[in-house]
Amino acid sequence: QSVLTQAPSVSAAPGQKVTISCSGSSSNIGNNYVSWYQQLPGTAPKLLIYENNKRPSGIPDRFSGSKSGTSATLGITGLQTGDEADYYCGTWDSSLSAWVFGGGTKLTVL
Amino acid sequence: QLQLQESGPGLVKPWETLSLTCTVSGGSISSNTYYWGWIRQPPGKGLEWIGSIYYSGSTYYNPSLKSRVTISVDTSKNRFSLKLSSVTAADTAVYYCARHGPVYGDYLDHFDYWGQGTPVTVSS
């Protein structure tokens, strides 16, 4: 059971927008930065968003992040078939003194 | 461009110790800015953080694995290593090494660079 809760799956049509949520508590999301990772099939995870809403160089602005209270959200606009992947949130948990990941959300672009 | 490469046996017997090394190129592991971590992913499952280390040897470990995990660093060879003892089939996974983002306080931040991962199977 993950400390951070994500829906197992989400789907949307090409060109549409989708949001992926990550729910936690005051000891993790509520007081620490959230990051998001994209894992394409058979590959290593890749950083998409860090410090809640910042994009690393090379990540298109179709990807966005936000945080409110003890929840965080990843938004993807203009969906492409190449966006089909597993998406994970992650953050520091101050009570556990540990890094924690969400269980992951599988995005299907129909 | 920073690169991380995992190496080690792909098959480990039950109750033995899993040993992996992550070699860093294109940057120094001795930077006072970053922690370096290990993450694993069992087949068909999500990511699990194992632990992380600073160039000085300071470590953070996953509480659920702490009794079996040792992470060490060799600055002379620009690499860090993972040892996981008394392994069982539940430790079968792809193991990744990665770099944390800059350290600003008593916490760890995002993972910005990842290795390609190395599969490890625990079986007799």
Side-chain angles (χ1 to χ4, degrees):
Chain A
Q1 195 78 350
S2 301
V3 171
L4 305 180
T5 301
Q6 296 182 240
S9 63
V10 65
S11 61
Q16 296 300 303
K17 174 182 177 178
V18 71
T19 58
I20 296 172
S21 297
C22 177
S23 178
S25 68
S26 58
S27 67
N28 42 66
I29 292 178
N31 284 285
N32 294 293
Y33 286 127
V34 176
S35 50
W36 290 91
Y37 305 85
Q38 177 193 59
Q39 187 176 33
L40 298 170
T43 69
K46 180 174 81 172
L47 178 66
L48 279 183
I49 299 289
Y50 69 101
E51 293 180 5
N52 302 333
N53 55 18
K54 297 179 181 177
R55 282 178 287 106
S57 175
I59 301 300
D61 59 7
R62 299 189 300 109
F63 296 90
S64 64
S66 63
K67 189 180 92 167
S68 178
T70 59
S71 292
T73 303
L74 173 70
I76 311 173
T77 60
L79 277 172
Q80 303 172 1
T81 56
D83 296 331
E84 283 203 340
D86 293 320
Y87 292 84
Y88 295 89
C89 58
T91 188
W92 179 251
D93 191 296
S94 304
S95 294
L96 299 173
S97 289
W99 182 268
V100 291
F101 285 106
T105 298
K106 182 176 182 61
L107 170 64
T108 300
V109 181
L110 301 169
Chain B
Q1 175 77 344
L2 190 75
Q3 292 187 319
L4 295 86
Q5 179 66 58
E6 307 88 351
S7 59
L11 180 64
V12 181
K13 289 182 167 54
W15 306 112
E16 294 190 345
T17 296
L18 178 161
S19 296
L20 296 174
T21 295
C22 180
T23 301
V24 178
S25 59
S28 174
I29 203 170
S30 299
S31 167
N32 63 356
T33 308
Y34 305 104
Y35 267 77
W36 306 84
W38 288 99
I39 304 101
R40 70 180 183 179
Q41 184 171 37
K45 296 187 178 181
L47 303 172
E48 180 180 33
W49 173 72
I50 300 170
S52 300
I53 192 165
Y54 197 50
Y55 79 99
S56 64
S58 175
T59 54
Y60 289 101
Y61 292 133
N62 185 325
S64 67
L65 297 170
K66 187 174 184 176
S67 64
R68 299 194 292 130
V69 173
T70 301
I71 298 176
S72 58
V73 63
D74 186 341
T75 55
S76 67
K77 295 183 178 178
N78 220 37
R79 67 189 191 189
F80 60 108
S81 299
L82 168 69
K83 291 188 184 299
L84 180 65
S85 64
S86 304
V87 297
T88 67
D91 295 308
T92 293
V94 175
Y95 285 75
Y96 297 98
C97 61
R99 188 187 80 170
H100 285 278
V103 178
Y104 295 119
D106 192 20
Y107 65 93
L108 298 177
D109 210 334
H110 59 279
F111 291 99
D112 54 5
Y113 288 92
W114 293 70
Q116 65 184 23
T118 187
V120 177
T121 300
V122 177
S123 175
S124 56

